[in-house]
Amino acid sequence: MQMRKKIIAGNWKMNLSLSEGEKLADVIMAEMPATTAEVIIAPSFIHLANVSAKVRGTSIKIAAQNCSQHNAGAYTGEVSAEMIKSSGAYYVIIGHSERRVYFKESNELLLQKINKAIEYKLKVIYCIGENLAQREAGNHFDIVHEQLKAVLFNLSAQATVDTIIAYEPVWAIGTGKTATPEQAQEMHAYIRDTIKTHYNADVANAVRILYGGSCNEQNAASILTLPDVDGGLIGGASLKAESFISIIKAAN
Ligand code: PGA
């Protein structure tokens, strides 16, 4: 079985002014530990170019938090994959639960966005995960299965290998309530197995599956060392250099 390179991605969401974001990037760069993990930070659209310029020449890569499904044109307020790419970003997060819930983004729309991102050579971080009611009703595997089937399984095997999946149980995002290591490993193994059934073992063994949801410096090691967890998508704890750096160290 091949070794999958771990990824630690910080999702800054709608936080930080430009100077605060630049300062945080400076501290992360200055304190970056020796690591084999890929480190990604996702600032707001409006700060992508500045933060990309700051980290240029380092191992840190930049992600956008969303992108339009359209190429270009009269879509006031939208940001295209081409614009994101030209800002120096390398990745784009698609399907975050906050986009699914607050902006009513459907699986169908997310597939269009992913195809657009791929067309412009952005690597996709595709988020999936069940909410609390779905978990309590015991439907969590079905929900995740549908999010894979309706979106990811329309891609070629190679595009799926190139896509990073982030399993983020919605009930764990920003709540301080993390999935237990058992819950995380169980779902990550299920996702990998579902990918194996749809594609093959090579695709399943190569694809990286990140955990997200209240991951912090205290619980990172217990989650990031699980066999099917290939890193983390970090929200709140990525806004402080010290905790983000601790999480990067825990991924080693
Ligand atoms: P959180 O967010 O770490 O603040 O729970 C994770 C995410 O939404 O990606």
Side-chain angles (χ1 to χ4, degrees):
M1 211 169 92
Q2 67 195 103
M3 279 289 290
R4 293 180 296 268
K5 199 170 178 193
K6 286 214 163 61
I7 295 174
I8 300 297
N11 176 7
W12 290 357
K13 307 192 180 183
M14 197 175 74
N15 292 297
L16 307 174
S17 68
L18 177 57
S19 63
E20 287 167 343
E22 287 182 325
K23 210 180 286 168
L24 179 55
D26 276 336
V27 182
I28 293 169
M29 285 190 289
E31 292 176 11
M32 180 63 73
T35 178
T36 52
E38 276 177 52
V39 176
I40 300 171
I41 47 185
S44 105
F45 281 140
I46 197 169
H47 301 156
L48 283 177
N50 294 64
V51 182
S52 291
K54 270 218 167 281
V55 304
R56 193 162 297 140
T58 75
S59 58
I60 300 171
K61 294 271 191 290
I62 300 299
Q65 299 172 16
N66 176 30
C67 80
S68 170
Q69 71 274 31
H70 300 293
N71 275 327
Y75 300 100
T76 302
E78 287 291 272
V79 176
S80 71
E82 187 177 22
M83 291 169 178
I84 293 168
K85 186 74 186 176
S86 71
S87 75
Y90 197 81
Y91 292 93
V92 58
I93 299 170
I94 292 181
H96 192 282
S97 67
E98 288 150 17
R99 304 284 327 165
R100 290 181 189 261
V101 174
Y102 304 143
F103 303 95
K104 308 276 176 289
E105 294 194 354
S106 64
N107 283 333
E108 192 186 18
L109 175 70
L110 298 175
L111 176 60
Q112 292 173 29
K113 290 187 174 204
I114 289 181
N115 280 324
K116 203 46 76 185
I118 292 172
E119 192 181 322
Y120 286 95
K121 310 233 172 334
L122 286 165
K123 286 203 173 203
V124 172
I125 301 173
Y126 174 54
C127 302
I128 57 177
E130 80 286 355
N131 65 29
L132 186 60
Q134 291 160 341
R135 161 84 43 181
E136 284 177 347
N139 292 333
H140 42 297
F141 294 115
D142 291 345
I143 294 294
V144 163
H145 192 277
E146 183 57 26
Q147 290 167 336
L148 292 172
K149 181 167 163 259
V151 181
L152 201 71
F153 294 170
N154 291 288
L155 305 180
S156 68
Q158 187 55 52
T160 292
V161 169
D162 291 339
T163 299
I164 296 153
I165 297 169
Y167 169 60
E168 301 202 297
V170 180
W171 47 270
I173 296 176
T175 57
K177 216 198 240 181
T178 323
T180 64
E182 292 72 27
Q183 287 171 323
Q185 171 55 29
E186 179 184 46
M187 184 57 91
H188 281 235
Y190 173 78
I191 293 166
R192 205 176 295 288
D193 198 51
T194 305
I195 291 171
K196 183 177 162 190
T197 306
H198 183 80
Y199 295 101
N200 56 54
D202 288 344
V203 173
N205 287 333
V207 74
R208 267 106 39 104
I209 308 172
L210 314 185
Y211 170 81
S214 298
C215 192
N216 57 36
E217 61 270 52
Q218 276 88 42
N219 59 35
S222 67
I223 293 176
L224 299 177
T225 51
L226 295 167
D228 285 297
V229 174
D230 305 309
L233 181 53
I234 319 298
S238 73
L239 295 171
K240 289 200 194 86
E242 203 186 338
S243 45
F244 192 56
I245 295 288
S246 299
I247 295 169
I248 295 168
K249 286 182 184 156
N252 276 333

